[in-house]
Amino acid sequence: MFGKIVTFFTGMSALISCATSNVTEIKTVCQRDDIGNYILKWETFPPMEGSVRLYVSDVPDYFDQTSPVGIVDIRDEVSTYITIDNITRKYFLLSFNNQYENIVGSRVVTTDNIQNFRDLGGYTNADDRTLKWGHIFRSGEPDRMSVIDRIRLDNLAINTMIDLRTPDEYLEPEDIYSHVRIIHIPVNTGSDDAEVMERIRQGRMKKGDTVLYMQDLYLHFIDKNSEQFAQTLDLFLDKNNYPILFYDTLGKDRTGFLAALLLAALGVPEETIMKDYLYSNDYINFAALAPYARKLDYDGQETVTALLSANEKFLGVALKRIKKEYGSLDKYLEQKLNFTTKKREKLKEIMLY
């Protein structure tokens, strides 16, 4: 069952109990259907009998456990929370036989006009500790957010927004979301978008050229933007900055690289880091980007789509370079970005259940 769910993964965590000789592992996922209902699914290892109590909250850190919204047979392995509320984000606490508790949320954040909006919570690190839901969000640019999107951000209680775009890419802060602290840390990709589009129009850049082009862009993050990423990582060490939303144009490249660094600092396995990066392909609305390619021929449209997609080879080449030059992501964080072991422990204290 879960082999298929991985494609649409929205949250997974595991609980280990050492109270008995048997190890109990519980995996949960939360998805939203086409009309906004929450679908909660779980598996227990070994199979468990009994009941799971479901509690719902608008915030991830507090659940009123006096009144569950549902009590379900564990063997059902699924329950639906029906709602017509597409403005307030919901989090769920699942209590298995009043013994094991698991907090889960939907990976995707529903919006009208913001691309690729996701919660970075729910991932499990190498120590079987889980990232808190509702504390770190990643997305594409919020410049064209709708009135309802503004209300949604209010409900998320976003306290700090980190804009990784260069000045020529964004509107003035007051035009975006004036009552939230916006910190601009421009990460220059070394790319001229207008020049790239012209090359595509002239047929001088094909789909097959995009891998090398994008790999150079990701290597540029390492070679030219270490100071910017180091500055950004330090912002996550201040509890007063949370919840934090960081973003670039599509929430894919600069945002994807920063998310990889954060997850690595929290001890999340590289396989999970890559999966989180590739989820952009599920949450970018390519149809909304059609005007960028409308006047191009078929080959040109294919090239633009490849540039706007997440590809394992893009982030992969950066990770390979880091390992070659520094030995590991941990050493890169410490030696190049000055994100020391002490800083990583502080981040874990803030962000891990």
Side-chain angles (χ1 to χ4, degrees):
M1 180 179 75
F2 276 77
K4 183 177 180 180
I5 288 175
V6 168
T7 305
F8 305 96
F9 177 99
T10 52
M12 179 175 287
S13 56
L15 295 177
I16 305 297
S17 172
C18 299
T20 66
S21 59
N22 294 325
V23 175
T24 299
E25 182 180 8
I26 300 173
K27 295 182 179 180
T28 60
V29 295
C30 174
Q31 301 170 319
R32 301 199 72 176
D33 63 19
D34 293 340
I35 58 176
N37 297 321
Y38 292 85
I39 313 298
L40 303 168
K41 301 182 181 182
W42 58 86
E43 283 188 355
T44 62
F45 308 91
M48 184 189 304
E49 295 185 356
S51 62
V52 54
R53 293 174 178 264
L54 311 175
Y55 303 92
V56 64
S57 176
D58 292 346
V59 296
D61 298 326
Y62 173 77
F63 292 85
D64 180 359
Q65 297 191 45
T66 61
S67 53
V69 294
I71 302 176
V72 184
D73 192 314
I74 292 176
R75 293 172 297 183
D76 289 349
E77 297 188 331
V78 64
S79 181
T80 299
Y81 178 78
I82 298 175
T83 178
I84 58 172
D85 183 357
N86 272 318
I87 296 179
T88 305
R89 180 170 165 79
K90 304 298 182 185
Y91 301 92
F92 299 88
L93 185 148
L94 281 62
S95 177
F96 295 82
N97 291 333
N98 293 319
Q99 185 177 4
Y100 308 99
E101 293 186 346
N102 195 322
I103 296 172
V104 67
S106 168
R107 175 71 55 212
V108 65
V109 179
T110 300
T111 64
D112 295 330
N113 296 333
I114 305 176
Q115 290 272 14
N116 203 10
F117 204 142
R118 293 186 260 154
D119 193 325
L120 211 61
Y123 292 122
T124 302
N125 76 355
D127 299 323
D128 289 320
R129 297 179 66 189
T130 305
L131 275 68
K132 294 178 181 177
W133 290 97
H135 286 66
I136 299 178
F137 298 92
R138 52 174 294 179
S139 77
E141 61 187 8
D143 299 31
R144 296 172 182 82
M145 71 171 75
S146 68
V147 173
I148 300 300
D149 288 340
R150 291 174 185 270
I151 298 173
R152 289 180 174 122
L153 260 66
D154 284 341
N155 289 334
L156 292 176
I158 298 294
N159 195 41
T160 305
M161 296 170 66
I162 304 172
D163 191 340
L164 301 176
R165 298 172 300 167
T166 55
D168 59 333
E169 295 179 84
Y170 59 77
L171 302 174
E172 290 301 315
E174 58 267 21
D175 294 331
I176 303 175
Y177 199 54
S178 59
H179 62 287
V180 168
R181 182 189 183 200
I182 299 176
I183 301 174
H184 292 282
I185 303 181
V187 176
N188 192 319
T189 63
S191 169
D192 186 326
D193 292 344
E195 179 184 346
V196 170
M197 287 301 298
E198 186 59 29
R199 287 170 60 188
I200 294 173
R201 288 190 190 98
Q202 295 177 4
R204 294 188 293 117
M205 177 180 281
K206 302 290 188 180
K207 180 179 179 181
D209 301 321
T210 58
V211 172
L212 287 178
Y213 176 83
M214 292 301 296
Q215 286 180 332
D216 285 344
L217 185 148
Y218 278 70
L219 293 176
H220 193 84
F221 296 156
I222 301 171
D223 297 334
K224 301 296 183 181
N225 291 288
S226 294
E227 181 179 343
Q228 289 88 336
F229 284 112
Q231 182 183 353
T232 305
L233 285 173
D234 282 344
L235 294 173
F236 292 86
L237 301 176
D238 186 348
K239 290 183 178 180
N240 294 321
N241 287 337
Y242 288 83
I244 297 173
L245 167 65
F246 62 96
Y247 56 92
D248 58 32
T249 305
L250 286 180
K252 175 178 75 80
D253 299 316
R254 289 163 285 189
T255 293
F257 188 70
L258 177 56
L261 296 178
L262 281 167
L263 293 174
L266 289 163
V268 173
E270 188 175 317
E271 179 183 2
T272 303
I273 291 172
M274 184 60 73
K275 285 181 179 179
D276 177 75
Y277 168 73
L278 293 174
Y279 286 144
S280 285
N281 292 327
D282 295 329
Y283 301 126
I284 290 176
N285 180 4
F286 291 97
L289 303 172
Y292 291 98
R294 184 176 297 156
K295 297 181 179 180
L296 298 175
D297 60 18
Y298 177 79
D299 287 343
Q301 292 177 12
E302 287 285 291
T303 302
V304 169
T305 300
L307 288 171
L308 299 179
S309 300
N311 186 320
E312 187 171 352
K313 293 179 180 179
F314 301 167
L315 180 61
V317 74
L319 298 179
K320 186 175 181 179
R321 163 77 73 83
I322 287 170
K323 291 174 187 175
K324 181 179 180 180
E325 294 190 0
Y326 298 93
S328 68
L329 273 167
D330 283 349
K331 290 181 180 178
Y332 170 71
L333 286 164
E334 181 140 9
Q335 296 173 17
K336 189 67 173 178
L337 304 184
N338 193 34
F339 207 70
T340 61
T341 300
K342 184 176 180 180
K343 288 182 178 180
R344 293 200 297 275
E345 290 305 313
K346 185 173 183 179
L347 179 65
K348 289 178 182 179
E349 179 182 334
I350 294 172
M351 270 303 301
L352 296 178
Y353 288 120

